[in-house]
Amino acid sequence: MTVHRVHNFNPGPAALPLPVLEEVRESFLDFRGTGMSIVEISHRSKEFEAVLNEAIARIRRLLGLDARHHVIFVQGGASLQFAMVPLNLLPGGSSADYVNTGTWATNAIREARLLGKTVRVAASSEDREFTYIPAKIDLDPQAAYLHLTSNNTIRGTQWARFPETGAVPLVADMSSDILSRPIPASRFGLIYAGAQKNLGPAGVAVVIVREDLLGRAPETLPTMLRYTTYTAKNSLYNTPPCFAIYVVERVLAWLEETVGGLEAMAAINRRKAETIYAVIDASGGFYRGTAEPTSRSQMNVTFRLVDAAREARFLEEAARAGLVGLKGHRSVGGCRASLYNAVSPEAVETLASFMRDFAKNG
Ligand SMILES: *Cc1c(COP(=O)(O)O)cnc(C)c1O
């Protein structure tokens, strides 16, 4: 059966590895000999528990986590983590530092303040429209944690290296670059990521939280908003999003077994991003990258053309050539190619040659 597939550069939900989608389709009606679909079996069945535990084990292996870190699955996306992080980690009377590098960081700050929490902006790139990653952070050594957004999906910037925070736990929203490269995981107190960019379908967020931070939550916190509900029950206090977790586990298997782990993934991702940035930089100003070169993201390549009319024609002709999802976020306009793990080097080469041709003719 031939299926129509395009080159998918969507920012999220985004492309997933084709072999994973095919496997999910193949096993959809009879999951591992149960005679039931993955969406029909109990979340307390041994079959589902095996999926859940395998997903956790794979994340632990890929990131090299030690016993101090818990891996849990939570619904509500990254946006619920904007609230859960301060609710659990920022008790009354203390203050947290945040780095503001764009929309998602701004939302995280706003959410913490909405809860009446004390938040300091320890660094910001707002002065130049979030086009760079701040080099210096005015860290409060007493801060409950330092929060940053590892990859800024909308502005196309990414932390190349993470700041040293001493005794202050580092907390990161890694929604759009988790498992795209190796990270020094032991330095993080908490990492969270909505699944729908680099991990799987929408509907679940992965949270990695260090044991010593779990004791800070107040008694009055609702059950579903406290991390210990998930860590104590292996994310099975209530019904988790079984299908999303199943697909995440298969994507992790692809990452470990087909790609060969994070070093290999990072090398592929670096080449993909370099391919598109090279086209931009060689275009004599036809394409203009919006992020400062040293802050460029390897996941989301943001660029402009000379005017809105030319951008509209670029997007239209790209779509006709089977290259979709290249429109910039509605808040900033322009164009954006999201090159997440599952976007193949072939898709990126096709985009690069389309961009070169369009610049020549257009
Ligand atoms: C997409 C995104 C979010 C929002 O994720 P939801 O799961 O939709 O809440 C938050 N942070 C970053 C960095 C993102 O890319």
Side-chain angles (χ1 to χ4, degrees), residues 37 62 78 103 114 128 136 149 152 158-159 186 195-196 242 254 306 320:
S37 172
L62 282 160
T103 309
L114 180 68
R128 279 184 272 137
K136 286 196 66 170
T149 312
N152 298 282
Q158 185 177 27
W159 293 76
S186 64
Q196 68 274 16
C242 300
W254 169 82
V306 64
R320 230 179 296 135

Side-chain angles (χ1 to χ4, degrees), residues 259 262-273 341 343-345:
V259 177
L262 295 192
E263 293 283 357
M265 191 74 256
I268 294 168
N269 285 334
R270 209 173 312 115
R271 277 198 298 278
K272 282 155 50 185
N341 287 355
V343 174
S344 69

Side-chain angles (χ1 to χ4, degrees), residues 27-348:
S27 60
F28 193 68
L29 296 183
D30 178 8
F31 178 68
R32 297 183 187 168
T34 58
M36 293 176 278
S37 172
I38 181 71
V39 297
E40 297 177 303
I41 65 173
S42 169
H43 60 296
R44 308 216 178 270
S45 63
K46 66 179 186 332
E47 289 84 3
F48 180 73
E49 250 194 292
V51 168
L52 175 66
N53 289 333
E54 194 58 32
I56 294 167
R58 289 188 188 282
I59 291 171
R60 303 191 78 87
R61 274 197 301 270
L62 282 160
L63 288 174
L65 300 178
D66 62 38
R68 296 174 309 156
H69 280 102
H70 297 267
V71 178
I72 60 175
F73 291 96
V74 184
Q75 300 193 52
S79 297
L80 185 63
Q81 294 310 306
F82 296 162
M84 277 181 76
V85 166
L87 283 170
N88 283 270
L89 268 50
L90 187 50
S94 58
S95 155
D97 278 4
Y98 279 67
V99 182
N100 191 3
T101 49
T103 309
W104 298 117
T106 304
N107 287 2
I109 293 166
R110 196 194 318 115
E111 195 71 11
R113 288 188 171 146
L114 180 68
L115 294 163
K117 303 291 185 179
T118 309
V119 166
R120 270 178 81 245
V121 177
S124 169
S125 52
E126 196 171 8
D127 60 339
R128 279 184 272 137
E129 289 189 54
F130 300 117
T131 52
Y132 68 102
I133 298 294
K136 286 196 66 170
I137 297 172
D138 170 31
L139 182 67
D140 170 7
Q142 303 297 319
Y145 55 82
L146 174 76
H147 179 284
L148 59 79
T149 312
S150 57
N151 181 72
N152 298 282
T153 325
I154 295 174
R155 298 287 179 169
T157 65
Q158 185 177 27
W159 293 76
R161 242 161 287 102
F162 295 103
E164 293 290 345
T165 55
V168 177
L170 189 53
V171 173
D173 174 0
M174 292 198 185
S175 293
S176 53
D177 69 351
I178 191 164
L179 300 178
S180 68
R181 56 179 174 169
I183 54 161
S186 64
R187 284 173 47 199
F188 290 85
L190 190 146
I191 293 167
Y192 62 92
Q196 68 274 16
K197 280 124 190 184
N198 244 343
L199 295 177
V204 71
V206 172
V207 179
I208 297 161
V209 56
R210 215 171 57 204
E211 173 72 23
D212 61 290
L213 299 177
L214 293 174
R216 298 182 180 186
E219 299 271 296
T220 51
L221 206 50
T223 307
M224 291 301 289
L225 296 181
R226 49 173 72 237
Y227 290 128
T228 50
T229 300
Y230 299 82
T231 57
K233 302 280 192 212
N234 197 27
S235 300
L236 288 170
Y237 169 78
N238 76 330
T239 318
C242 300
F243 181 73
I245 293 170
Y246 161 63
V247 181
V248 167
E249 192 280 324
R250 291 290 80 204
V251 171
L252 296 168
W254 169 82
L255 188 47
E256 277 198 297
E257 288 152 25
T258 305
V259 177
L262 295 192
E263 293 283 357
M265 191 74 256
I268 294 168
N269 285 334
R270 209 173 312 115
R271 277 198 298 278
K272 282 155 50 185
E274 276 165 8
T275 299
I276 302 301
Y277 286 121
V279 174
I280 292 172
D281 292 341
S283 72
F286 187 88
Y287 303 107
R288 279 177 298 110
T290 61
E292 287 188 8
T294 54
S295 298
R296 281 174 165 177
S297 166
Q298 298 190 353
M299 293 280 99
N300 309 97
V301 178
T302 52
F303 57 97
R304 312 281 327 212
L305 280 74
V306 64
D307 57 34
R310 191 83 64 108
E311 282 170 356
R313 203 156 58 73
F314 173 82
L315 295 170
E316 210 179 279
E317 289 191 21
R320 230 179 296 135
L323 302 158
V324 309
L326 293 164
K327 200 171 165 46
H329 192 266
R330 61 189 183 283
S331 63
V332 295
C335 303
R336 169 177 55 179
S338 297
L339 311 179
Y340 300 125
N341 287 355
V343 174
S344 69
E346 295 70 39
V348 175

